[in-house]
RNA sequence: UCCCUAGUAGCUCAGCUGGUUAGAGCACAUGACUGUUAAUCAUGGGGUCCCUGGUUCGAGUCCAGGCUGGGGAGCCA
């Protein structure tokens, strides 16, 4: 008894004339005769040709959208147009019925907002099938990229006792009874009674741990979940998201930029090479959605052309100081169209980043040399004493997709930075020790995985590129 | 957290300056058709107009508060 083949395999190999078993979910039944089924292996559906007389009225009525079926028959070249192959069915079995009065997913356009409330069933749609297949391929591409280049995958801890990161609000992890926690005599909570004997949180970044490993293993990367308890409710933020953080010993800021750019372009190329059908579907979908929008809100280029452009062209590289000059000399600034003022020392606002990327350069841009005051304590101080070796990569439509830096490897300078940023040295003694024992130049960056998936799929809301989004006031499913 | 905006059938939406019994397309049911491509055609069923309160002879429509969704900002990845 041969195992049944996936629809993807049937389309790839086209074993015409052979007997096949196909299992999947019903999309539509057209003309009481043509059953369109999907098994998730590809965006393509297989047309199964049935005869109402042979199948019988009872079974025919149960071939409703969403039902799960097993069909058997001979594969042949399709007599109709619209598909290459079809299965001439002589046996069909309903594995799982689907009441059409209750099943919410229909063969019609649904709003993404509606489907978000049906996250357990939205995998059944073409759009989310495509998105999550692409998400998988990108995930695989990331591991392949680093593995092929002798990086080691580091599993940084998800629960951390470190709170020195400053990357954002943290989720507390505790086994204490929140209704009635143990208290000290002065009334404050007795954290020594907690599971770890001290406060613990979900990680906001694996970077510090990755640095420790890089200073021994050379080239490492993390790829895991991270958590931010910020009350930020936007289409680009999640409370739980996946982050990729490479860290490389002996890399300086230039090497870091080279790596980040090569990595991003590799991943996009990989998606173009491995997800053609899904990208074409999403491209058509986007084009149809755009028709409903005002002209100035539409995409300038179709999805695949946008990706080809990024994969085939080098990124623009400018310093923060140059970026400020460009903004100051823009007509946009002279006409006072920026809401926030522009001057050296400010943190670039979304509107500034968008102007640089979407209006001025119209391609991905890497900005380096930010003022030390607006960046994290661990970034390496430049010779000018006022900027740091930080880099952000901005892409059209998404904004910041990568943030990274060369790390401060000089013990004295790092210790001074800790003081300036009010980080108690005894909280991160282990981090500081790496600068005492065989310190070296090193650099790394962080990439929000969902933002990459957004960019590649063209999806506009981050909640639509992760299976079960976690956002403020929402942890359904 | 702040600003803007929306909530009407299972879904997507229309419903004008308040005025008879709240509409359409899709979906669903029944029938016809049978090489269809989100099949087509005919007929039919289907409503807490988000909730609470108010104004009014009369509220889907106006007002106040709340809830939920969406967009933007901040924070960031």
């Amino acid at each position: 008894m041969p195992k049944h083949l996936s629809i993807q395999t049937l389309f790839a190999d086209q074993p015409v004339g052979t007997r096949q078993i196909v299992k999947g979910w019903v999309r539509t039944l057209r003309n009481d005769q043509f059953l369109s089924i999907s098994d998730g292996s590809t965006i393509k559906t297989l047309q199964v040709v049935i005869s109402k007389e042979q199948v019988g009225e009872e079974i025919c009525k149960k071939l409703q959208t969403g039902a799960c079926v097993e069909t058997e028959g001979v594969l042949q070249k399709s007599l109709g147009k619209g598909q290459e192959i079809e299965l001439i069915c002589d046996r069909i079995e309903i594995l799982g019925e689907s009441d059409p009065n209750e099943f919410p997913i229909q063969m019609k356009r649904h709003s993404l907002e509606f489907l978000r409330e049906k996250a357990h069933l939205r995998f059944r749609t073409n759009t989310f099938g495509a998105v999550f297949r692409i998400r998988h391929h990108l995930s695989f591409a990331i591991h392949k990229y680093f593995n092929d280049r002798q990086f080691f995958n580091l599993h940084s801890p998800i629960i951390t006792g470190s709170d020195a990161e400053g990357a954002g609000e943290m989720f507390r992890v505790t086994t204490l009874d929140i209704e009635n926690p143990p208290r000290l005599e002065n009334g404050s909570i007795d954290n020594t009674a907690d599971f770890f004997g001290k406060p613990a949180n979900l990680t906001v970044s694996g970077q510090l741990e990755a640095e420790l490993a890089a200073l021994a293993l050379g080239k490492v990367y993390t790829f895991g979940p991270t958590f931010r308890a910020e009350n930020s409710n936007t289409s680009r933020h999640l409370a739980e998201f996946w982050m990729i953080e490479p860290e490389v010993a002996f890399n300086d800021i230039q090497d870091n930029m080279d790596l980040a750019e090569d990595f991003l372009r590799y991943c996009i190329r990989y998606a173009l090479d491995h997800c053609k059908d899904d990208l074409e579907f999403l491209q058509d979908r986007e084009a149809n959605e755009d028709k409903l929008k005002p002209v100035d809100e539409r995409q300038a280029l179709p999805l695949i052309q946008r990706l080809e452009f990024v994969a085939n062209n080098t990124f623009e590289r400018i310093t923060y100081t140059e970026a400020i000059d460009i903004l100051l000399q823009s007509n946009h600034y002279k006409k006072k169209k920026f809401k926030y003022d522009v001057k050296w020392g400010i943190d670039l606002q979304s509107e500034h980043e968008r102007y640089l990327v979407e209006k001025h350069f119209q391609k991905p841009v890497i900005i380096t040399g930010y003022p030390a005051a607006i960046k994290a304590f661990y970034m390496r101080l430049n010779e000018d004493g006022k900027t740091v070796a930080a880099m952000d990569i901005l892409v059209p439509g998404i904004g910041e997709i990568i943030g990274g830096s060369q790390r401060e490897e000089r013990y004295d300078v790092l210790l001074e930075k800790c003081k300036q940023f009010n980080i108690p040295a005894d909280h991160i003694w282990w981090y500081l020790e790496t600068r005492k024992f065989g310190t070296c130049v090193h650099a790394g960056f962080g990439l929000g995985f969902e933002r990459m998936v957004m960019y590649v799929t063209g999806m506009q809301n981050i909640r639509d590129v992760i299976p079960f989004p976690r956002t403020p006031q929402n942890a359904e499913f």
Side-chain angles (χ1 to χ4, degrees):
Chain A
M1 186 70 186
K3 282 193 78 172
H4 75 279
L5 300 177
S6 71
I7 291 176
Q8 188 197 24
T9 302
L10 292 179
F11 272 98
D13 299 350
Q14 306 215 353
V16 171
T18 62
R19 194 162 185 81
Q20 297 292 341
I21 293 172
V22 178
K23 304 184 190 190
W25 293 269
V26 174
R27 285 301 176 78
T28 56
L29 175 61
R30 290 186 292 266
N31 230 346
D32 281 349
Q33 196 179 176
F34 302 104
L35 191 64
S36 171
I37 69 172
S38 159
D39 71 356
S41 61
T42 165
I43 194 151
K44 291 177 183 167
T45 56
L46 182 70
Q47 173 155 290
V48 176
V49 184
I50 62 171
S51 103
K52 201 173 180 179
E53 292 77 48
Q54 189 184 3
V55 169
E57 193 84 13
E58 274 305 294
I59 294 219
C60 219
K61 275 189 176 172
K62 289 178 181 170
L63 295 173
Q64 308 275 17
T65 301
C68 187
V69 295
E70 175 174 338
T71 68
E72 185 170 356
V74 176
L75 199 72
Q76 69 166 31
K77 282 214 178 306
S78 180
L79 300 178
K81 290 170 184 167
Q83 60 281 317
E84 298 164 85
I85 51 172
E86 62 191 14
L87 192 74
I88 307 302
C89 172
D90 53 40
R91 184 179 70 83
I92 187 161
E93 188 182 337
I94 310 284
L95 300 180
E97 294 181 31
S98 176
D99 183 346
N101 286 309
E102 290 183 50
F103 186 61
I105 313 295
Q106 298 161 358
M107 270 309 283
K108 55 164 281 187
R109 182 191 168 277
H110 282 108
S111 69
L112 297 175
E113 294 80 19
F114 171 72
L115 292 171
R116 232 168 266 156
E117 293 170 5
K118 315 283 178 203
H120 56 311
L121 296 171
R122 67 177 179 171
F123 298 103
R124 306 273 186 101
T125 64
N126 284 331
T127 300
F128 286 97
V131 166
F132 292 127
R133 277 188 295 270
I134 292 171
R135 184 179 165 108
H136 159 77
H137 284 294
L138 284 172
S139 171
F140 191 81
I142 288 161
H143 285 295
K144 179 169 167 53
Y145 177 88
F146 289 121
N147 184 64
D148 288 352
R149 285 156 186 77
Q150 300 184 325
F151 280 68
F152 298 109
N153 181 207
L154 181 78
H155 292 147
S156 53
I158 290 168
I159 299 173
T160 172
S162 157
D163 61 353
E165 213 24 69
E169 291 295 311
M170 302 178 96
F171 285 102
R172 181 71 187 273
V173 175
T174 181
T175 54
L176 295 179
D177 178 5
I178 58 167
E179 303 290 340
N180 187 24
R183 293 185 184 277
L184 299 170
E185 282 181 12
N186 65 10
S188 62
I189 292 173
D190 180 11
N191 287 310
T192 63
D194 204 346
F195 188 88
F196 297 105
K198 64 173 190 172
N201 297 290
L202 293 178
T203 183
V204 293
S205 163
Q207 182 204 310
L208 300 187
E209 290 87 349
E211 280 189 55
L212 312 184
L215 293 184
L217 299 170
K219 297 195 279 191
V220 301
Y221 71 103
T222 70
F223 185 0
T226 44
F227 308 86
R228 304 277 166 92
E230 299 286 353
N231 186 17
S232 59
N233 213 318
T234 81
S235 56
R236 298 182 306 284
H237 292 86
L238 291 166
E240 176 183 293
F241 63 101
W242 288 66
M243 192 150 63
I244 298 109
E245 295 178 293
E247 196 70 38
V248 184
F250 314 116
N251 265 15
D252 63 14
I253 186 72
Q254 294 299 325
D255 301 323
N256 203 31
M257 283 191 277
D258 293 344
L259 177 68
E261 177 174 338
D262 186 57
F263 167 69
L264 257 188
R265 289 168 63 188
Y266 174 91
C267 291
I268 289 170
R269 169 55 57 199
Y270 189 94
L272 285 165
D273 291 344
H274 292 81
C275 312
K276 188 164 169 287
D277 293 342
D278 288 324
L279 286 172
E280 279 173 358
F281 172 83
L282 291 172
Q283 174 169 268
D284 291 346
R285 181 186 181 283
E286 180 183 85
N288 286 329
E289 293 288 306
D290 272 8
K291 284 178 193 162
L292 304 172
K293 292 182 185 170
V295 174
D296 61 329
E297 286 176 26
R298 296 178 191 173
Q299 293 287 351
L301 290 175
L303 176 63
I304 292 173
Q305 280 184 42
R306 295 204 300 277
L307 299 177
E308 288 283 359
F309 183 83
V310 172
N312 295 336
N313 290 279
T314 54
F315 295 0
E316 199 67 38
R317 298 186 185 192
I318 59 170
T319 64
Y320 169 88
T321 304
E322 287 165 345
I324 293 289
D325 285 344
I326 289 169
L327 291 171
L328 286 174
Q329 282 165 25
S330 67
N331 282 329
H332 210 77
Y333 176 78
K334 287 168 184 165
K335 289 178 183 169
K336 299 190 189 300
K337 284 191 183 169
F338 287 123
K339 192 177 160 198
Y340 290 86
D341 195 20
V342 179
K343 63 177 180 190
W344 202 96
I346 62 156
D347 206 352
L348 294 177
Q349 303 294 315
S350 303
E351 58 174 355
H352 305 139
E353 295 180 346
R354 267 210 310 279
Y355 177 84
L356 289 169
V357 171
E358 290 163 17
K359 291 264 167 28
H360 190 85
F361 289 111
Q362 299 187 329
K363 64 193 294 196
V365 178
I366 310 181
I367 303 179
T368 51
Y370 284 85
I374 59 171
K375 287 291 182 182
F377 77 98
Y378 50 73
M379 296 189 178
R380 192 180 196 278
L381 194 64
N382 286 329
E383 300 310 315
D384 60 16
K386 58 178 188 176
T387 62
V388 289
M391 62 145 199
D392 283 358
I393 299 186
L394 314 176
V395 296
I398 306 288
E400 185 183 338
I401 195 168
I402 281 181
S405 68
Q406 185 178 329
R407 318 307 188 188
E408 184 55 76
E409 86 283 9
R410 298 162 296 189
Y411 182 79
D412 295 342
V413 181
L414 186 58
L415 204 58
E416 181 57 32
K417 282 295 257 325
C418 284
K419 278 182 197 153
Q420 286 173 22
F421 281 76
N422 285 321
I423 295 166
D426 59 342
H427 276 50
I428 50 164
W429 59 272
W430 40 272
Y431 185 71
L432 292 166
E433 277 204 352
T434 57
R435 273 63 171 173
K436 281 164 69 177
F437 307 126
T439 191
C440 71
V441 164
H442 63 289
F445 60 86
L447 167 81
F449 182 51
E450 282 75 18
R451 291 198 179 164
M452 177 194 262
V453 181
M454 282 175 82
Y455 190 70
V456 172
T457 58
M459 299 298 282
Q460 300 286 302
N461 193 311
I462 201 165
R463 289 159 215 198
D464 297 328
V465 298
I466 188 167
F468 302 103
R470 298 297 178 241
T471 52
Q473 299 296 308
N474 187 6
E476 192 65 52
F477 304 106

